[in-house]
Amino acid sequence: FRILVPLGLVISAAAWFAGRRYAGHLSPGPEFPMVLSALCFAVLPITATRFIAGMLRGMRRFAAADMFESVAIPVGLSLAILLFGMNSIADVANLYAGAAVVTALGALWVWRANLGDRGRPAEPTPLPGVLKRSLPLAGTVMATLAGPWILTLSLASLATPADIGVFRVTLQFALLLGFILQAVETGLSPQMAALYSQGRLGDLARTAKKMTLALGVAGGLPALILLVFAKEFLGLLGPEFVSGIDAMRLMILAQVINLATGPVGSYMVMTGLERWSMWNAITGTIIVLVVSATCIPLFGILGAAMAFSAAVIFRNLAATAIVWRRRRVFLPLGLSPAPGPEGDPT
């Protein structure tokens, strides 16, 4: 928390200043800067909630972690909107920031309640060592999350506010498939780390193989539905959103590859390949920058989808190659070499 709070404040301030500068490009009208300002105040509590959720998962409180990280804010916000009938987007943003604060406080209370006497280690972990181990993972997360925002700002500079809205909607539909992978990785990551620390690489390969096959089955039907009925889903939000059908289908296909490669990202992080994962994510972000600068002026929303898809495909294929070369495990479609005589993959 000594690192989290100052860093969250710095990010909130940076987002606030950047939001004031680009608000007019993202959406015309006086209300949007107010929305951005309110959401900037939510950065720190949301960051704290995600941090605490990670600690809850480490304590095997998976249900509580998922509730605070993914359920509490949207459910609470939806109920408040239904009860109070808010019509102003600025009021909704203020309520979102308030819900984020309440959720963070609730998560902190649950964590402290579960911690008990375990919160007083005999020998405190040196802070430099923690930072050294967590830096590659932080770089991976930040580089990955930067992609959609780079595309949004690129559309703000090179396209129209209407294009931004259509792209963000199509992106959210495509990211629905990513939730399946996220759910699997959430439960699988501690098991991966445990098996790797025990040297049971053969069991680790078999577990990852089963999860990859399960992802293909669980994600195949939703992907097919989204591809076939893309026009109908977009049409639910208004006829102007149907223009993003090609972009949506392209990003869905990229997400299919994401599912087919399995939990390769978590596999890298949990088996000592954190730095490889970080540089892979950074390279993907560079791809987003280059492709968006090249394709958005030519193709608009479809160009942004090309940049997103190129980064997703590159990251997953590169990660798959890295895991194969370094750990001799090939995750796509659940393929892996037979374990050696001692349970390790050959």
Side-chain angles (χ1 to χ4, degrees):
F1 279 102
R2 286 181 294 172
I3 301 172
L4 181 68
V5 173
L7 184 60
L9 292 174
V10 170
I11 294 174
S12 296
W16 185 79
F17 283 110
R20 289 175 63 86
R21 179 173 182 177
Y22 288 99
H25 296 284
L26 295 172
S27 178
E31 195 174 33
F32 193 66
M34 299 172 58
V35 173
L36 285 178
S37 298
L39 293 180
C40 287
F41 286 106
V43 170
L44 180 58
I46 289 176
T47 304
T49 300
R50 293 181 65 89
F51 179 73
I52 296 170
M55 292 190 290
L56 287 172
R57 290 191 181 96
M59 301 167 68
R60 304 189 68 81
R61 298 295 187 267
F62 300 113
D66 291 339
M67 182 191 70
F68 285 116
E69 189 174 36
S70 305
V71 178
I73 294 178
V75 170
L77 186 61
S78 300
L79 290 175
I81 292 174
L82 290 174
L83 290 174
F84 300 110
M86 295 182 179
N87 297 319
S88 169
I89 187 66
D91 291 338
V92 174
N94 290 329
L95 185 61
Y96 181 89
V101 172
V102 173
T103 301
L105 293 175
L108 181 62
W109 182 83
V110 171
W111 172 63
R112 293 291 299 177
N114 282 275
L115 194 62
D117 296 334
R118 290 175 292 178
R120 301 180 181 276
E123 297 182 3
T125 305
L127 187 58
V130 174
L131 289 176
K132 184 177 180 180
R133 291 194 298 270
S134 62
L135 182 60
L137 180 58
T140 300
V141 174
M142 292 178 66
T144 303
L145 294 179
W149 279 106
I150 290 172
L151 295 172
T152 300
L153 295 177
S154 297
L155 285 169
S157 302
L158 303 172
T160 66
D163 290 333
I164 298 173
V166 174
F167 172 73
R168 296 297 300 189
V169 168
T170 58
L171 177 62
Q172 292 305 313
F173 276 114
L175 291 178
L176 288 174
L177 297 176
F179 292 151
I180 302 174
L181 177 59
Q182 182 180 357
V184 170
E185 288 183 324
T186 298
L188 188 62
S189 294
Q191 185 178 359
M192 283 184 176
L195 291 174
Y196 181 73
S197 65
Q198 297 168 13
R200 297 165 57 186
L201 300 185
D203 292 336
L204 179 56
R206 285 189 289 271
T207 300
K209 173 182 177 179
K210 293 177 181 178
M211 290 300 101
T212 305
L213 289 173
L215 281 171
V217 174
L221 182 58
L224 182 62
I225 292 174
L226 288 172
L227 282 172
V228 174
F229 298 103
K231 182 177 180 180
E232 286 73 16
F233 281 116
L234 292 173
L236 294 174
L237 301 172
E240 65 274 14
F241 289 95
V242 178
S243 62
I245 183 172
D246 292 333
M248 176 175 165
R249 284 173 172 164
L250 179 60
M251 290 188 288
I252 288 172
L253 290 175
Q255 289 293 82
V256 170
I257 295 177
N258 189 20
L259 292 175
T261 54
V264 65
S266 292
Y267 196 101
M268 291 179 68
V269 171
M270 297 298 165
T271 59
L273 300 175
E274 300 95 334
R275 293 189 178 276
W276 286 92
S277 177
M278 180 183 69
W279 289 115
N280 184 34
I282 292 174
T283 305
T285 303
I286 295 173
I287 291 174
V288 170
L289 285 168
V290 173
V291 178
S292 61
T294 304
C295 295
I296 289 178
L298 297 175
F299 304 107
I301 300 170
L302 184 59
M306 291 177 180
F308 173 85
S309 302
V312 170
I313 294 171
F314 170 82
R315 282 171 175 153
N316 281 277
L317 295 183
T320 298
I322 292 169
V323 169
W324 170 252
R325 288 184 59 86
R326 306 291 298 186
R327 297 290 178 259
R328 307 307 296 173
V329 175
F330 191 70
L331 292 183
L333 303 178
L335 301 177
S336 62
E342 298 182 0
D344 293 347
T346 57

